[in-house]
């Protein structure tokens, strides 16, 4: 995280975002040339899951992503994952 400075926000900040039992961390870019003014991550303290991500630009506009009802370890069938080599790709192996 060399591109951002971080600081933990007051517990009320996470609670005000509807995430009781979470921690809010504010990330501020080191370089001010970026369009991003700050990013606020709200993380569930015990489970270490991101609850929300807020990106604030220099004009004060906010983009908020809220994550909820996540299934942490779903059972997925192997048939869901199929990989096909694109045409013209060579596979190198050191076996």
């Amino acid at each position: 995280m060399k591109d951002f400075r971080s600081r933990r926000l007051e517990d009320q900040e996470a609670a005000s975002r509807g995430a009781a039992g979470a921690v809010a961390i504010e990330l501020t870019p080191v370089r001010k040339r970026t369009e991003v003014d700050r990013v606020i991550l709200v993380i569930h303290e015990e489970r270490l899951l991101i609850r929300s991500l807020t990106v604030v630009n220099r004009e004060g506009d906010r983009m908020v992503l809220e994550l909820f009802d996540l299934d942490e370890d779903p059972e997925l069938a192997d048939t869901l994952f199929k990989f096909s080599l694109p045409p013209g790709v060579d596979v190198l192996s050191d076996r």
Side-chain angles (χ1 to χ4, degrees), residues 20-77:
V23 173
I25 299 171
E26 181 180 70
L27 304 171
T28 307
V30 173
R31 294 187 207 142
K32 293 297 181 187
R33 290 185 231 159
T34 179
E35 290 297 315
V36 175
D37 182 59
R38 66 186 180 279
V39 175
I40 299 170
L41 285 172
V42 176
I43 302 168
H44 190 281
E45 193 166 24
E46 290 176 16
R47 297 172 63 200
L48 299 177
L49 296 174
I50 297 174
R51 298 290 306 264
S52 71
L53 169 79
T54 303
V55 179
V56 182
N57 69 16
R58 290 172 38 193
E59 287 78 36
D61 300 323
R62 292 173 175 257
M63 178 183 65
V64 179
L65 299 165
E66 293 182 347
L67 306 171
F68 52 91
D69 293 335
L70 299 175
D71 190 352
E72 293 179 47
D73 194 14
E75 291 287 329
L76 300 173

Side-chain angles (χ1 to χ4, degrees), residues 7-27:
R7 73 179 180 100
R8 182 176 174 159
L9 299 177
E10 299 293 325
D11 290 341
Q12 299 92 315
E13 182 72 26
S16 71
R17 295 172 185 275
V23 173
I25 299 171
E26 181 180 70
L27 304 171

